[in-house]
Amino acid sequence: MAQKRILLGVTGGIAAYKSAELVRLLKKAGHRVQVVLTGGAEAFIAPLTFQALSGEAVRTSLLDPEAEAGMGHIELAKWADLVLVAPASANFIARLAHGFADDLLTTVCCATAAPIALAPAMNQAMWSNARTGRNLELLQVDPQVSIWGPAQGDQACGDTGPGRMLEPQVIADLVTATESTGAGALTGQRVVITAGPTREAIDPVRYISNHSSGKMGYALAAAAKAAGAEVVLISGPVALAPPVGVEVRPVITALELFNAADAAVAETCDIFIATAAVADYRPRNETDQKMKKSGETLSLELVRNPDVLAHVAGHPNAPFTVGFAAETNDLEQYATGKLKKKKLNMIVANDVSQPGIGFNSDDNAITVFWADGRQTFDRSSKAELAQQLIQLVAQRYRQQSGR
Ligand code: PMT
């Protein structure tokens, strides 16, 4: 594993305390770490903590006469193989997006040729704010910048939602997986992902659907984008903001999802990931008018929907296909059965019988199966699992395609 010189920027936010653990993990992985703290970060955590953990002097000011006598900010900018900002606050993201150079960290970011990775951390409303979104859009199209996370879940302020910094171990793994050119594990690849439920109309006001929220698929789309891929997300009806830089193609029914996937794969697709909970059946007839109550029982005739994933995997030039299997029992048996039957490269088995994971939750726990291997990821946020899963998919994809 290549040792990297990492300049860790820490900005102001409660997640700054996790950056101390991040330094420890990066050092343990064999990297050299120098830390720059912003004024906001110093309000949360003392420089001495980082000095003790990194074994290097910590820089806090652009106007430090001693360090700047030798143009310290330029030296730091040249020294780094990777500038990692964790946590990256909304304020820092805004200043970076607009090219500010008014403190040491923004100045180093302006001066460096190294890739810059941001691990955002902020309140969920700040993350969802339109101005933050516009700043992130500017950074998403900046080839020097990658955005890792954030995760969803409980926040220090008592809110719940997107904006938690990824866990230090996940960030450390991403640092190790990032090539020194800054290229992500999926740079140059086109990834098509399906997410969310489908709705199968019974009449103009009723439909058959399921509890999928789309969170797993949206987290995977964001992680694939952060890994450098061009991402198309075919999404059933969900209440989620589109991941920054990802092309979302909305659908409602399984047939629409089938057509959208077929078209996206025909355009070009290197990797296809099916997280959508597609209805296996749809009502044979959708009535034009609202159905009225009549007898004590009602029978609906259902017809089978096409299997999108099996169709894609059966293409003559099929992409690398990854399916999901949501099961309440006999997880391994059913998941590996689908792997073989649908001729997939990998399948992600989800135990949806456990409370708090699987459908419509922020967390998940999965076991991934492929022809001659398996890997289990214990319970963690969907954003974190998505980052880990994308790294595994990229690794298996490269092995299989000899890239
Ligand atoms: O959306 P969330 O709330 O975050 O929840 C995530 C999830 C639980 C929905 C997700 O992690 C998951 O497990 N998705 C698969 C759900 C499912 O219905 O699996 P399945 O066993 O029915 O289907 C197996 C695979 O075939 C899936 O990849 C599915 O997308 C695909 N499929 C199924 C039927 C069909 N007609 N077309 C398909 O492509």
Side-chain angles (χ1 to χ4, degrees):
M1 185 202 60
Q3 187 201 49
K4 293 191 181 89
R5 288 177 304 210
I6 296 155
L7 184 90
L8 174 65
V10 182
T11 73
I14 185 63
Y17 81 93
K18 292 187 181 178
S19 307
E21 171 68 358
L22 178 58
V23 174
R24 197 187 67 74
L25 292 169
L26 291 171
K27 293 277 292 178
K28 194 171 153 211
H31 306 299
R32 260 192 82 188
V33 184
Q34 289 202 61
V35 179
V36 169
L37 295 185
T38 64
E42 270 191 279
F44 285 91
I45 188 160
L48 204 55
T49 306
F50 291 106
Q51 187 175 314
L53 288 165
S54 67
E56 310 264 359
V58 171
R59 296 284 309 274
T60 55
S61 170
L62 178 60
L63 305 174
D64 171 349
E66 213 170 284
E68 288 306 315
M71 295 299 280
H73 65 281
I74 302 295
E75 264 173 34
L76 277 179
K78 286 186 178 156
W79 173 85
D81 294 324
L82 172 71
V83 176
L84 167 64
V85 184
S89 64
N91 178 45
F92 177 79
I93 286 170
R95 286 160 57 237
L96 183 69
H98 293 280
F100 276 46
D102 58 352
D103 66 3
L104 181 58
L105 187 55
T106 48
T107 306
V108 167
C109 287
C110 264
T112 193
I116 300 170
L118 308 178
M122 66 195 74
N123 165 269
Q124 54 82 25
M126 293 171 75
W127 175 255
S128 307
N129 179 280
R131 287 181 293 276
T132 306
R134 283 197 293 274
N135 293 332
L136 286 161
E137 272 165 27
L138 287 175
L139 294 173
Q140 280 280 358
V141 294
D142 182 334
Q144 200 181 357
V145 177
S146 307
I147 297 169
W148 295 347
Q152 294 243 130
D154 294 341
Q155 303 199 308
C157 55
D159 283 3
T160 301
R164 281 169 61 95
M165 188 172 88
L166 294 181
E167 289 305 322
Q169 185 64 63
V170 176
I171 298 175
D173 290 347
L174 285 167
V175 167
T176 301
T178 304
E179 291 168 26
S180 52
T181 56
L186 291 177
T187 298
Q189 310 307 318
R190 192 164 190 266
V191 179
V192 177
I193 298 175
T194 69
T198 64
R199 286 181 187 167
E200 312 300 323
I202 298 170
D203 69 11
V205 298
R206 303 180 180 94
Y207 54 80
I208 298 172
S209 190
N210 58 64
H211 294 293
S212 170
S213 62
K215 286 178 185 172
M216 191 68 237
Y218 275 57
L220 280 164
K225 178 72 196 162
E230 180 191 338
V231 184
V232 173
L233 177 61
I234 301 171
S235 174
V238 299
L240 297 174
V244 182
V246 166
E247 184 191 341
V248 179
R249 299 186 182 175
V251 296
I252 305 283
T253 67
L255 288 179
E256 287 174 10
L257 194 145
F258 181 91
N259 290 333
D262 197 42
V265 169
E267 285 159 17
T268 61
C269 172
D270 300 294
I271 299 173
F272 183 81
I273 306 178
T275 51
V278 188
D280 288 323
Y281 294 90
R282 67 181 184 279
R284 179 181 290 282
N285 300 308
E286 177 192 347
T287 61
D288 291 341
Q289 292 178 336
K290 185 180 167 193
M291 288 168 68
K292 293 291 169 206
K293 280 197 283 290
S294 50
E296 284 308 307
T297 60
L298 172 73
S299 297
L300 279 177
E301 191 181 359
L302 303 178
V303 293
R304 189 80 179 255
N305 274 325
D307 191 307
V308 183
L309 178 60
H311 172 74
V312 170
H315 269 235
N317 289 320
F320 186 90
T321 45
V322 182
F324 268 68
E327 308 293 349
T328 52
N329 56 291
D330 301 310
L331 195 67
E332 178 170 350
Q333 188 194 333
Y334 286 130
T336 53
K338 284 175 186 169
L339 178 74
K340 288 196 195 98
K341 188 163 167 235
K342 298 195 187 194
K343 299 191 174 59
L344 310 177
N345 297 98
M346 297 173 92
I347 193 146
V348 181
N350 242 186
D351 183 350
V352 290
S353 67
Q354 305 292 321
I357 60 170
F359 283 96
N360 197 17
S361 59
D362 290 331
D363 290 355
N364 214 350
I366 54 177
T367 300
V368 190
F369 297 93
W370 57 97
D372 54 2
R374 65 157 71 189
Q375 188 164 341
T376 295
F377 297 94
D378 293 333
R379 179 172 175 161
S380 140
S381 74
K382 283 179 177 170
E384 271 148 359
L385 282 176
Q387 302 278 354
Q388 292 166 320
L389 185 55
I390 286 294
Q391 294 304 322
L392 178 63
V393 168
Q395 188 192 330
R396 304 267 345 131
Y397 166 70
R398 277 199 300 270
Q399 273 172 12
Q400 176 124 345
S401 57
R403 283 165 206 246

